[in-house]
Amino acid sequence: MSVRDEARGRFERALRSGRPVVTCEITSPDGVDVDGVRKRARLVRDHVDAVNVPDNTGGFVHASPLASCVILLEEGVDPIMHMTCRDRNRMALQSDLLAAALLGVRNVLCLTGDHMIGGDHPQAKPVYDIDSTQLVALATILAREGRYLSGRPIKPPPDLFPGAAENPFAPPYEFRPRRLGKKIEAGARFVQTQIVFNVDRFAEFMGRVRDLGLDRRVPILAGVAPIRSAKAAVHMRDNVPGMEVPDRLIRRMEQAGEKKARREEEGIQVCVEIIEDLRKIPGLAGFHLMPIMWEQAVAEISRRARLRPATAPPDVRTEPESSEPATVPVAAAPRSGAVTLTPDS
Amino acid sequence: MIPKHDLPAPLEGFARLLRRHPVATRELNRAIAPFENLSKTLVFGCNMCGQCILHETGMTCPMNCPKQLRNGPCGGVRMNGHCEVKPEMPCVWTKAERRSHIFPWRSAILRIQPPLDWRLKGSSAVVNMLAAPWDDHEGTE
């Protein structure tokens, strides 16, 4: 099996293994920098089951995530392509979903998309022809029913693994779990959440999610991120809509001082502590790391928080180039029922 | 795609009549649309999408959302419940969610809304609901 075939579908295998899954997001290239993408992929690939590539994050133009995803596949990483409804109507979305499937990218995270008002092209026409829930349904129709939205059959249909996101930290809080339920109803196969800084609010959200039985229907990965400085934390709180950064966290980052090594160390420590707190919440299937432009932190966070990819072989950290068959990782009996997130010993 | 409604019996008869006479229906739509536009714009800030789901979204028009989301709020709602794009405007969906509790059919907000049919923009949603134009074309090529 080639590196590509080995990587493809690794994420779904990880989710099926019943062991805690780790994913992470890498920055999309700001220029035409193939080596940059490869470098970032190599920084994280041994620590995760899949890697997300965002789609014009924050309304800033980057290369289409599909290109990065194909490079990730070549590096032996199973990519998760973000797809937003901001820039494309339902025709373009369908053709891009098919293009992704043609190139071997099957995991798609269906998002509404940050509005361009906060990006570098605020003059652009917002598209939003369909919304994220409808995009999940669309990917499901293409893959499962093998037809376009028009009803015309697709032969052969694309192999897609659509996922959805939820932000428990934006009002209306009571509606968030039910909105997640809608997305799961529409066909979402996995869920990744917004970055958790306020663990209490997240625990409340997960309580409702468990009441609705959603955690038993799809795996939910909690988003976590290391903060680099107090300034970055304040920026996130004030300028990134839908991000909740508690004051005590900002104070803690301020106390770490201005020295780079010291504050970065503190940022990683905070992130690890949040992961430990999240492990106590039932119903989570794993973690999604979002080291915004700081891929180097992933290795350190994994080490300290004892995160392991679900698809890693039992002892040594996996080398994606190795010819280990995919069945090796589940040598230990797969966990069943409610998944808790204590690392495998 | 027009949301499917179960019509009360007397209306069902009228709807059948409309479906039998597409030309007359088109004219009726043209005649009614301006009045529907005026009244619904005044009361609900209607955008005349022609596929009204006001009653399912707590009588709050989701088309006033800058992203025109019909299935719920985006992840960018501010902590004060205001819009990511227009900070001075309360999020359409925080209002919709709050108001939806008033109605006996409050769980309608959980129905997955199909993508809009942009051909119906500007036409009368009432006539569309009864006559279901384009319905025969749905799902065919």
Side-chain angles (χ1 to χ4, degrees):
Chain A
M1 253 199 314
S2 72
V3 174
R4 270 178 76 98
D5 295 338
E6 166 94 42
R8 209 176 120 82
R10 188 175 165 196
F11 181 47
E12 189 178 356
R13 284 201 300 277
L15 293 172
R16 284 180 188 282
S17 76
R19 301 167 62 193
V21 173
V22 191
T23 59
C24 97
E25 181 173 304
I26 62 167
T27 321
S28 17
D30 216 6
V32 185
D33 180 13
V34 181
D35 292 332
V37 182
R38 289 191 194 283
K39 203 180 114 205
R40 284 192 286 275
R42 284 174 194 160
L43 277 171
V44 301
R45 68 177 171 194
D46 295 344
H47 309 286
V48 296
D49 295 297
V51 171
N52 288 51
V53 186
D55 180 10
N56 294 346
T57 333
F60 287 86
V61 176
H62 291 88
S64 158
L66 181 53
S68 298
C69 285
V70 172
I71 298 172
L72 286 179
L73 270 174
E74 288 169 4
E75 289 294 323
V77 174
D78 195 16
I80 302 173
M81 183 168 86
H82 289 201
M83 200 164 219
T84 69
C85 303
R86 175 191 52 225
D87 312 319
R88 285 161 289 184
N89 67 7
R90 65 193 81 179
M91 293 177 75
L93 287 168
Q94 287 179 92
S95 76
D96 282 359
L97 280 170
L98 257 65
L102 264 176
L103 291 167
V105 178
R106 63 191 297 269
N107 313 312
V108 193
L109 185 67
C110 303
L111 304 163
T112 307
D114 300 324
H115 199 275
M116 47 277 275
I117 201 88
D120 60 348
H121 291 68
Q123 314 87 343
K125 181 176 192 293
V127 178
Y128 299 110
D129 179 26
I130 62 175
D131 63 33
S132 51
T133 309
Q134 292 160 353
L135 181 56
V136 172
L138 173 58
T140 306
I141 290 170
L142 292 184
R144 211 177 288 171
E145 294 178 23
R147 58 177 180 91
Y148 293 101
L149 204 53
S150 66
R152 191 157 54 90
I154 311 172
K155 286 175 198 156
D159 173 23
L160 296 169
F161 191 62
E166 188 49 86
N167 181 4
F169 307 102
Y173 302 116
E174 320 74 52
F175 192 63
R176 293 288 163 184
R178 296 199 290 160
R179 174 173 178 260
L180 182 61
K182 264 179 117 164
K183 289 182 172 185
I184 293 168
E185 202 57 51
R189 307 280 301 278
F190 66 94
V191 173
Q192 293 175 317
T193 76
Q194 172 68 291
I195 302 172
V196 182
F197 289 121
N198 183 346
V199 179
D200 295 338
R201 181 155 353 250
F202 189 74
E204 215 171 283
F205 167 80
M206 284 304 293
R208 279 291 290 145
V209 164
R210 288 194 302 274
D211 291 346
L212 295 170
L214 302 177
D215 60 316
R216 290 191 299 277
R217 292 176 66 188
V218 294
I220 299 171
L221 310 183
V224 286
I227 307 178
R228 263 189 141 153
S229 64
K231 219 172 82 186
V234 171
H235 172 80
M236 265 199 253
R237 183 191 63 189
D238 297 342
N239 300 324
V240 183
M243 189 83 87
E244 184 178 356
V245 188
D247 289 339
R248 72 187 132 74
L249 211 153
I250 292 170
R251 274 199 302 279
R252 202 173 146 184
M253 289 309 293
E254 276 166 356
Q255 277 157 16
E258 278 303 305
K259 262 182 62 196
K260 191 163 177 247
R262 180 74 196 86
R263 59 179 159 81
E264 287 191 347
E265 152 73 27
E266 187 70 5
I268 289 179
Q269 188 53 38
V270 169
C271 182
V272 170
E273 284 169 23
I274 289 174
I275 292 175
E276 294 295 350
D277 288 344
L278 290 174
R279 280 199 168 115
K280 296 177 196 130
I281 301 174
L284 282 176
F287 297 103
H288 174 50
L289 304 173
M290 285 181 260
I292 306 140
M293 294 198 278
W294 191 18
E295 284 80 3
Q296 291 84 347
V298 169
E300 185 59 19
I301 295 168
S302 300
R303 191 181 65 77
R304 287 205 220 166
R306 294 162 297 136
L307 292 175
R308 301 184 77 227
T311 47
D315 291 314
V316 271
R317 295 246 180 225
T318 175
E319 282 299 322
E321 292 90 346
S322 71
S323 54
E324 299 272 356
T327 44
V328 170
V330 254
R335 243 174 254 235
S336 57
V339 183
T340 48
L341 290 177
T342 41
D344 285 328
S345 48
Chain B
M1 205 190 285
I2 317 251
K4 293 270 178 289
H5 297 273
D6 291 326
L7 297 172
L11 274 179
E12 190 52 59
F14 182 55
R16 266 203 303 275
L17 186 75
L18 286 177
R19 275 180 228 130
R20 270 205 300 275
H21 304 282
V23 179
T25 303
R26 201 160 61 229
E27 291 308 314
L28 180 68
N29 197 319
R30 280 240 304 265
I32 287 184
F35 297 100
E36 192 175 320
N37 188 354
L38 185 68
S39 55
K40 272 165 57 178
T41 306
L42 283 173
V43 184
F44 303 111
C46 168
N47 282 276
M48 292 298 280
C49 69
Q51 295 138 84
C52 197
I53 52 166
L54 266 175
H55 61 291
E56 297 186 32
T57 54
M59 303 313 276
T60 312
C61 177
M63 301 309 282
N64 286 316
C65 164
K67 299 182 183 178
Q68 307 192 333
L69 302 179
R70 286 169 79 87
N71 276 301
C74 73
V77 185
R78 289 163 195 268
M79 298 287 284
N80 61 0
H82 282 225
C83 174
E84 162 192 23
V85 183
K86 299 176 182 167
E88 70 287 351
M89 183 178 92
C91 168
V92 169
W93 278 96
T94 55
K95 283 198 289 190
E97 200 268 342
R98 196 176 60 238
R99 292 176 181 169
S100 70
H101 293 293
I102 304 168
F103 302 100
W105 56 86
R106 55 182 72 87
S107 60
I109 201 166
L110 298 179
R111 206 171 72 83
I112 296 174
Q113 299 294 341
L116 269 182
D117 184 338
W118 287 97
R119 293 171 295 186
L120 300 175
K121 173 102 176 125
S123 62
S124 160
V126 176
V127 177
N128 290 340
M129 183 183 78
L130 294 172
W134 312 113
D135 216 28
D136 339 335
H137 302 275
E138 213 60 64
T140 55
E141 185 65 12

